[in-house]
Every structure is written in structure tokens, then in C-alpha cells.
Amino acid sequence: MPRPATSGRRLRTLVLAGITVTALATTGLPAGAAVLDGTAPHTRTQSAQDTSLNSAFAKAAERFGVPRDLLAAVGYGETHLDGHQGKPSQANGYGVMHLVSNPGHRTLHEAAELTGLSTAELRRDSEANILGAAAVLRSYADKAGLSAAERGDLDAWYPAVARYSGSKGATAALYADTVYDFLAKGLLARTGGEEVTVVGRSVHPDKGGLSAEDVTAQSPDYPPALWVPASTSNYAAGRSAAIDTVVIHVTQGSYAGTVSWFQNPEAQVSAHYVVRSSDGEITQMVRDGDTAWHARDANSHALGIEHEGFVDDPSWFTDAMYRSSAALTKHLCDTHGIPKDRAHILGHVEVPGNDHTDPGPHWNWDYYMQLVGGTGVGDELSFPSYTTQQDGASGAQVKAVQKLLKAQDFDAGEVDGKFGPTTVSAVKAFQKSRGLTADGVVGAKTWTALLSAGTKPTLKNGSSGEDVKRLQRALTAALGSTVKVDGSFGATTETAVRSFQKARGLSVDGIAGAATWTALQSGS
């Protein structure tokens, strides 16, 4: 199914794909090679010193006797060769090679000891980071007893690569298999103004008794997925509320690394499912009927799906990932009776009480909801929380702002989900008309005024219809807590009205009359 024509990124991807095919033909890489392009809209910064990755890989390979292509494939599998300016991953890993510092995995500290470099250098400088990873891999090869001749054989490095993952058994094999898949298919990564290439070749790794095939159990809740249970220290058995939400996450790390992290009892975090970028493979780690720890206050009633990658790098969001994840979400919605709309299928950033930004601006919600077979953004106005929108923002809530402004005859331009100068001007004009600070930023007060704008009918317990929905949305924005938007004025809505009235010094009767509507529409 084609993606919507409104996605400019889709057009760029198609153009780049054509360029890539030519590049693969001239470099000898096979058609299945992994390809990463670091051009607009995302530009990678390797380090403060603008390190050449090709040079860094070559130097590290020569110094520690680790095959250069193996280093590149490990780095690609970990980060797509993006150092993320020294910022940590979910597992507290750093740099192009994801040197890790957590209680169960300490490659960062091993690298510091082996190279004499500081952990600060290893975290922030790509050349140092690659050198440190090479030192760690060589130390693992030495401990495995690899001779000088064996170190020249890529296939002999499989156990060292598996150990580098920080995992054990079948999970470590999943990691190593991914690296050797890149070696077999080849890869071409455009990053930091240069191309890093690995030419595909025949590989027959010596797995030394390790095998991802040991992960033979199918998911008990979703048969197409693998079943690898998270540590029991990272989730709670059972549920305290009915399942009504699916939360979309991005791992800020690799697939195998995330699976390993959720198995680590020190993590204190988990999700129900993890989806791989390259082929859409899914691993379930927490049963649907148990409470994974992924979205704070929403944990009790939400299912969490982690997607391999980083929020600032669109290259991880492959078509295979979108399709596989959407099929899973459709299954979960059908199984648990969850409406297939954007009021119930949320990004982590949209869940009340959370401070995360995933899945980020590069996640294609329109395409994803199309694949899920849902109703996209539902009524385009209802969300479990209303986050601050301002110049440069984009997405479903910006569309809601634009639609609401147009309904009140303020020209916000095209309803395209992009918060630009025209939308800023319209917001300022609306704010001025309501006596609000005209700063062009849609915060709680402006949201409340926009969502409640219109007539002022008297509504009370037993009322129903679109005006009740309008009231419920406005109360959600005003109170900062979710009021279910179902158009039915019941006990929950009455309690919310009473809370609003009490907070605003109004007569507390639970009835939305003229005074309550006036307070809402003024954004007070």
C-alpha cells in the first residue's frame, strides 16, 4: 500500500533509493544490502572533531587486529553509525559502537581500561569510541583463544560478537546473527558526508554452540512473534484495569540490545513487544495480561510496542517495520476491543504524565494508521492529553489546532499539521480575542479556550451528544487529566466538572452551565 502523497520524506526516500541502486551496482554490493542515508531531514554528527569513520575503522582494525568490516557491521547494527552527539541510549550506551555502562554490561569501562582513554573521550569522540570497541572485541577474541590466523577469518569472530552484545544464549545469538546478516548482504551507509561500505560476501560463522534457533517458543498472545520473557523484576503480574490503549515507543537502541535490557533485572523497565527495523521481526517479552513498565500512569491499561531505532533518525523506520508493527497493533485492537483510532493508539509522547518524545517527528502516523486499518486520527480533536504546540511543531495535535481555529474563523492556513507562521499568527489573534497572552503558543489555557469554543448549552448528568464531547475535551485540557470523550455525561464527567468548578472558584454543582462554559472559553 503506498504511503500518503502528503509525506515529503517519502518522495525523498524514493529518489534516494534510485541513487542507492546505482551506487550498489558500482560498488558491487548485492541488491539486498542495507542502506542508510544521512541526508535531510536528518544530518548525523559523528563527534565534535568531525571524525572520518572510514579512517577510524581502518585505524582501529589495524591496531587491534579486528576485521574492519566486522567493526563496521557491529556499529551499523548498534546505531546505524550515528554517535548521537554522545547522548546515551536507553541501556546507557554511547557512541557509534554503543559502548555500554550499566550494572550488567560494562563495555565502556572495559574499553577505557584496555585503551587508556577516558570514558568521556570514549562517549563523545567517534574515533575513540571505535577504537574502544575494537579493543573490547579483541579482548573477547583472545579469551576465546583465537589465533592470529583465526583472527583473519570473519567467521571465527561470531562468539566475540555475541559476547559484545552483553546478552547470553539465544539472545546473544540474535545479536550476532544480525551482524553476520549485514556482512552477508553488505551495507552502504552515508553519514557525516562520507560513505561507509561493506561488500557482501558468503559467511558461515562458527557459532560455538550458540544459536538464535534456540528461541523456538512462539508468542503466547501473538503467534507470529518470538517469545523471550523479560525479567520478572521489570513488570508486574496481572492488570488493575482493562486494556484500552496501545502505546508506540522507540527503543533508543538496537533490537537485540533492547531484548537483553528487558531481561536485565536492573532495568526496571519493559514493554510487551519489540519490533526489529530490518525485517519487522517481533519478540514478545511481557504477556498482554501482565503490566509492563513502559508508560508510567498508563501502564495499568496500556500495551507497549517498542520499535528498534532512535527518534532523531528516520532511517530505522523501514516499511517492513511499519507493516509488521501495524499488523500487531491491528491484532491487539481486535483481540482486546480497542478502537483503531489516534485516541487509543498513542505515541509515548502523547501519554499523560510522561516526559519522553518518542516516536518523534519522523514516525509516519498517517501511513501507520492506514496500515492498521483504523480511522486515522479519529474525530481529529480528541486526545488523552493536549501537549504544548508551537512554531515548528507538527503532527495530529497541530492539525487539531488548525481545525479549531478555522471553525472560529481564524485563518490558520492549510490544515496540514505543520505549525508555521500562518498558524502562529492565527493563534495570536485568537488569544488576543480571548484576553489571553498573545504569544502564539498553544498551552493549556489556549487549548481549553479553543476546545470549548462555541455555544453554552446547559449540560448535566444524563446529557449526551457532540456538545458533551466538546465539554469533555475542554476539561481534559483544563484539568491536565484524561476525561473520556464519549459524548455521554455520566459520573466521571460530572466529577470532572466539579473539579474544574472548585478550582476556578465557581459554584460546585457538577452542571456545565453558562458560568462554567464562560470560564472554559476564557481559558481561565
Side-chain angles (χ1 to χ4, degrees):
M1 188 180 295
R3 303 192 194 192
T6 54
S7 173
R9 181 166 64 86
R10 174 64 172 162
L11 177 60
R12 286 192 294 272
T13 301
L14 290 171
V15 173
L16 290 169
I19 296 171
T20 297
V21 169
T22 303
L24 292 175
T26 58
T27 59
L29 290 172
V35 180
L36 170 64
D37 196 296
T39 55
H42 173 66
T43 302
R44 289 175 176 74
T45 301
Q46 298 307 333
S47 73
Q49 298 163 355
D50 196 24
T51 299
S52 164
L53 290 187
N54 282 306
S55 174
F57 282 127
K59 289 178 181 177
E62 181 178 3
R63 177 171 171 181
F64 289 104
V66 182
R68 177 267 184 198
D69 286 359
L70 184 78
L71 287 172
V74 169
Y76 184 87
E78 287 282 13
T79 66
H80 282 194
L81 307 185
D82 187 341
H84 297 280
Q85 301 180 352
K87 296 176 182 177
S89 71
Q90 177 175 248
N92 210 41
Y94 296 88
V96 169
M97 303 301 290
H98 197 245
L99 293 173
V100 180
S101 175
N102 69 52
H105 194 192
R106 297 179 62 77
T107 48
L108 176 66
H109 306 281
E110 291 174 31
E113 183 176 344
L114 290 164
T115 62
L117 297 170
S118 70
T119 56
E121 287 178 280
L122 291 163
R123 286 196 302 266
R124 297 188 179 92
D125 181 82
S126 289
E127 184 170 357
N129 188 266
I130 292 168
L131 195 71
V136 172
L137 283 164
R138 172 60 186 273
S139 74
Y140 294 166
D142 290 346
K143 290 172 183 176
L146 267 64
S147 66
E150 288 171 326
R151 291 198 301 272
D153 178 8
L154 272 174
D155 290 337
W157 284 85
Y158 187 95
V161 172
R163 183 171 177 176
Y164 187 84
S165 72
S167 306
K168 296 180 179 179
T171 305
L174 282 173
Y175 177 95
D177 281 355
T178 299
V179 172
Y180 275 81
D181 189 52
F182 290 136
L183 290 169
K185 293 180 178 178
L187 63 88
L188 187 156
R190 299 187 184 95
T191 177
E194 66 177 321
E195 292 184 353
V196 177
T197 302
V198 171
V199 177
R201 82 287 311 275
S202 177
V203 294
H204 302 282
D206 179 1
K207 298 190 177 184
L210 285 170
S211 177
E213 293 178 1
D214 292 339
V215 184
T216 55
Q218 287 184 309
S219 158
D221 295 311
Y222 186 58
L226 302 173
W227 168 245
V228 178
S231 168
T232 55
S233 298
N234 295 333
Y235 68 91
R239 292 272 186 179
S240 61
I243 299 170
D244 62 6
T245 303
V246 175
V247 180
I248 303 300
H249 300 265
V250 173
T251 61
Q252 294 299 100
S254 70
Y255 173 73
T258 301
V259 172
S260 176
W261 184 232
F262 291 167
Q263 291 182 301
N264 187 330
E266 302 287 341
Q268 296 294 289
V269 66
S270 63
H272 294 89
Y273 298 90
V274 185
V275 186
R276 186 158 65 187
S277 168
S278 60
D279 59 4
E281 180 180 274
I282 299 172
T283 294
Q284 182 178 15
M285 302 199 68
V286 178
R287 292 293 305 270
D288 290 2
D290 290 330
T291 305
W293 297 340
H294 61 104
R296 294 187 181 175
D297 293 345
N299 288 337
S300 64
H301 60 91
L303 292 162
I305 306 176
E306 288 277 4
H307 296 79
E308 181 183 27
F310 292 81
V311 295
D312 62 350
D313 185 349
S315 71
W316 292 91
F317 303 148
T318 64
D319 197 63
M321 173 183 276
Y322 276 122
R323 290 181 178 276
S324 178
S325 175
L328 169 61
T329 294
K330 182 179 186 301
H331 167 83
L332 295 175
C333 289
D334 290 341
T335 300
H336 299 287
I338 303 170
K340 299 185 188 78
D341 61 41
R342 287 283 284 112
H344 297 85
I345 302 172
L346 306 175
H348 194 180
V349 67
E350 297 169 320
V351 177
N354 283 274
D355 58 0
H356 289 244
T357 61
D358 53 318
H362 303 301
W363 183 261
N364 192 332
W365 276 111
D366 288 344
Y367 181 49
Y368 188 71
M369 293 304 297
Q370 186 180 9
L371 291 172
V372 170
T375 55
V377 292
D379 61 16
E380 298 186 324
L381 300 178
S382 301
F383 299 90
S385 66
Y386 294 89
T387 57
T388 299
Q389 305 298 318
Q390 56 191 326
D391 192 14
S394 62
Q397 293 206 9
V398 175
K399 282 187 178 180
V401 168
Q402 293 167 329
K403 186 174 181 179
L404 290 164
L405 287 166
K406 282 184 173 291
Q408 296 301 310
D409 296 325
F410 291 89
D411 182 14
E414 182 181 356
V415 181
D416 57 3
K418 298 177 182 179
F419 203 124
T422 304
T423 303
V424 171
S425 296
V427 170
K428 287 182 176 180
F430 174 81
Q431 291 170 324
K432 185 176 181 180
S433 73
R434 297 302 190 270
L436 299 169
T437 301
D439 57 6
V441 177
V442 182
K445 292 183 177 182
T446 302
W447 266 122
T448 302
L450 277 169
L451 290 162
S452 62
T455 59
K456 301 178 181 179
T458 298
L459 302 174
K460 57 185 179 181
N461 202 323
S463 299
S464 62
E466 291 301 315
D467 285 330
V468 175
K469 289 184 178 181
R470 178 161 57 98
L471 174 66
Q472 291 166 331
R473 295 185 198 106
L475 289 168
T476 294
L479 297 173
S481 59
T482 304
V483 179
K484 186 176 181 181
V485 180
D486 59 5
S488 178
F489 197 129
T492 301
T493 303
E494 181 176 336
T495 298
V497 170
R498 289 178 179 275
S499 295
F500 177 79
Q501 290 171 328
K502 183 177 180 180
R504 280 17 178 220
L506 303 172
S507 175
V508 181
D509 57 8
I511 298 172
T516 300
W517 278 112
T518 297
L520 287 166
Q521 292 177 2
S522 68
S524 65

